[in-house]
Amino acid sequence: MARTASGLETALERIPALREEFWENGKVVGGGSELNQVLERAGRIADFLELGELMCRDALAREESCGGHFREEHQTTDGEARRNDADFSHVSVWEYTAESAVPVEHREHLEFEYVTPSQRSYK
Amino acid sequence: MNLTLHVWRQKSASEDGRFVSYDAQGIDAHMSFLEMLDVVNENLETGGEEPIAFDHDCREGICGSCSMVINGRPHGPRKETTVCQLHMRHYEDGDEIWIEPWRASGFPVIRDLVVDRSSLDRIIASGGFISARTGSAPDANAIPVSKANADRSMDAAECIGCGACVAACPNASAMLFTAAKVAHLNLLPQGQPERTSRVLDMVLQMEAENFGSCTNHGACETACPKGISVDFIALLNRDYLVAAVGRSG
């Protein structure tokens, strides 16, 4: 599951339109006073639209490859993930501000006192 | 293939339910029974009608969520097969299928084919566990256990808690379920310290949940998608007797 800047930007352009389509034209049958599996599924789609958009935004901001996050622009000559510890040794936490507003990124810096992270080798 | 379905529809626990007939058309033989219902539901939703509510999760025969009575048999006609693993190749064009929820006082209907099985959760909560702190992993074989007990416990542990046994039983008894849950712990070394209280507490909870009593029909074992044996009911009865006599003595 490789990610590219252009692919992520395209996704971020398209998701708001999908979300609007969902809220404008999504059809839920039945009411809210009895068990309603259609409503349940609609709720999940609403959540996944938000989560998907956030994942794209986070993946775009992290300009390195690390763990399950692989950016094609950041790989070694033999195709392995290339981390950038100098600039990205942090955990990102995104703060929701308002609907349709870009969330605010907070960075929790990672400090390694006794062990220096190095490039993993599978060879 | 085209089929005629008669499905139990019930809007909520407080309303009466009834059978409603549906045409299931263009059903592929490779579909599972639940996939067939998905197709029916998609057509209902497109037409603005409320789809048939039913429980499902793993859709691979292991979680115990899916639960429907098909032509009078819990999980349908195949032996040791959950309804999510029942495929439409076992049906023919023109077949008529009656689909109902689990029928038992201990499983009140929530909606259509969805019933409330929290009674089984309460039975587990009353004793279906061990209280020992596990600590760090012991050396292998530090606790000796006979292969016979280990195997038998594993057989009992195959119970997925779906409740088909209750649905099949003419008395809607939950004995096979309770027996499986008591047996898989009472057969193991870790289950010994609480063996007595476990069986007494779980049977007490089972009796408080509006289930019927066991009169040895055996329909439970036949309906069980994991093939749990009624021998475990015998084990439960024996453990219960020993525990009850021990307590009053």
Side-chain angles (χ1 to χ4, degrees):
Chain A
M1 251 296 302
R3 301 159 171 181
T4 62
S6 65
L8 292 167
E9 280 158 5
T10 306
L12 284 170
E13 273 165 41
R14 289 204 199 155
I15 291 174
L18 282 172
R19 191 167 35 236
E20 193 172 318
E21 166 80 19
F22 167 73
W23 286 106
E24 285 294 312
N25 297 327
K27 184 165 70 170
V28 174
V29 286
S33 56
E34 60 276 334
L35 181 82
N36 188 337
Q37 294 185 325
V38 184
L39 186 60
E40 181 192 326
R41 285 193 290 269
R44 289 189 198 190
I45 296 176
D47 287 345
F48 290 149
L49 284 166
E50 276 188 38
L51 181 64
E53 185 181 52
L54 185 62
M55 285 180 72
C56 289
R57 203 177 291 291
D58 186 76
L60 194 57
R62 183 169 292 275
E63 290 165 341
E64 62 161 0
S65 290
C66 183
H69 165 73
F70 188 84
R71 284 284 295 271
E72 284 186 17
E73 307 96 327
H74 303 282
Q75 57 182 290
T76 64
T77 43
D78 38 13
E80 298 293 337
R82 192 178 66 218
R83 274 198 338 263
N84 179 351
D85 290 338
D87 298 322
F88 291 98
S89 201
H90 63 257
V91 175
S92 293
V93 184
W94 296 85
E95 179 191 349
Y96 176 88
T97 52
E99 193 150 337
S100 303
V102 177
V104 175
E105 186 187 9
H106 300 262
R107 293 187 170 184
E108 295 182 6
H109 191 67
L110 296 172
E111 295 275 355
F112 297 98
E113 288 178 37
Y114 302 107
V115 179
T116 316
S118 56
Q119 175 72 27
R120 174 175 285 183
S121 171
Y122 291 99
K123 298 200 175 85
Chain B
M1 65 187 83
N2 298 331
L3 309 159
T4 305
L5 309 180
H6 306 288
V7 185
W8 183 262
R9 303 304 307 268
Q10 185 171 343
K11 194 146 184 181
S12 69
S14 53
E15 291 181 45
D16 284 344
R18 68 194 212 291
F19 282 104
V20 176
S21 302
Y22 299 98
D23 287 326
Q25 298 193 313
I27 300 299
D28 193 301
H30 298 297
M31 286 182 188
S32 73
F33 201 89
L34 299 188
E35 286 170 336
M36 187 258 305
L37 286 178
D38 287 340
V39 167
V40 171
N41 275 346
E42 237 179 88
N43 289 332
L44 288 173
E45 279 181 61
T46 310
E49 282 182 63
E50 292 193 66
I52 302 159
F54 62 91
D55 273 328
H56 61 94
D57 201 330
C58 76
R59 296 228 181 177
E60 52 182 44
I62 197 63
C63 73
S65 290
C66 65
S67 50
M68 48 189 82
V69 175
I70 296 164
N71 287 348
R73 292 174 187 238
H75 288 301
R78 306 280 299 162
K79 205 158 163 48
E80 292 183 33
T81 305
T82 52
V83 63
C84 62
Q85 292 297 82
L86 173 66
H87 290 86
M88 299 314 294
R89 60 178 169 267
H90 299 294
Y91 290 93
E92 287 175 359
D93 187 48
D95 275 355
E96 224 175 320
I97 309 177
W98 295 81
I99 308 173
E100 314 169 67
W102 280 177
R103 303 279 192 196
S105 301
F107 295 155
V109 174
I110 295 174
R111 174 113 202 228
D112 299 339
L113 306 173
V114 177
V115 298
D116 181 351
R117 286 174 282 180
S118 56
S119 46
L120 301 187
D121 295 335
R122 288 188 289 273
I123 294 173
I124 295 284
S126 71
F129 53 82
I130 62 171
S131 300
R133 293 170 68 176
T134 51
S136 56
D139 286 344
N141 298 326
I143 305 172
V145 53
S146 84
K147 183 82 168 78
N149 281 347
D151 286 350
R152 204 153 173 241
S153 172
M154 185 62 196
D155 286 346
E158 287 201 38
C159 167
I160 59 177
C162 65
C165 49
V166 177
C169 176
N171 306 328
S173 167
M175 279 290 275
L176 192 68
F177 167 81
T178 308
K181 298 308 178 189
V182 166
H184 97 255
L185 293 171
N186 279 11
L187 282 165
L188 293 177
Q190 296 89 339
Q192 298 312 301
E194 292 156 314
R195 187 171 174 171
T196 312
S197 59
R198 174 177 302 115
V199 64
L200 290 174
D201 291 346
M202 290 180 80
V203 168
L204 194 67
Q205 186 62 38
M206 178 190 77
E207 289 178 341
E209 293 290 350
N210 268 331
F211 294 117
S213 300
C214 175
T215 52
N216 298 325
H217 279 91
C220 52
E221 179 185 296
T222 307
C224 178
K226 297 291 156 186
I228 304 287
S229 167
V230 289
D231 286 356
F232 289 115
I233 295 182
L235 183 155
L236 175 72
N237 284 331
R238 181 202 168 277
D239 271 18
Y240 184 80
L241 182 63
V242 169
V245 167
R247 277 249 166 122
S248 60

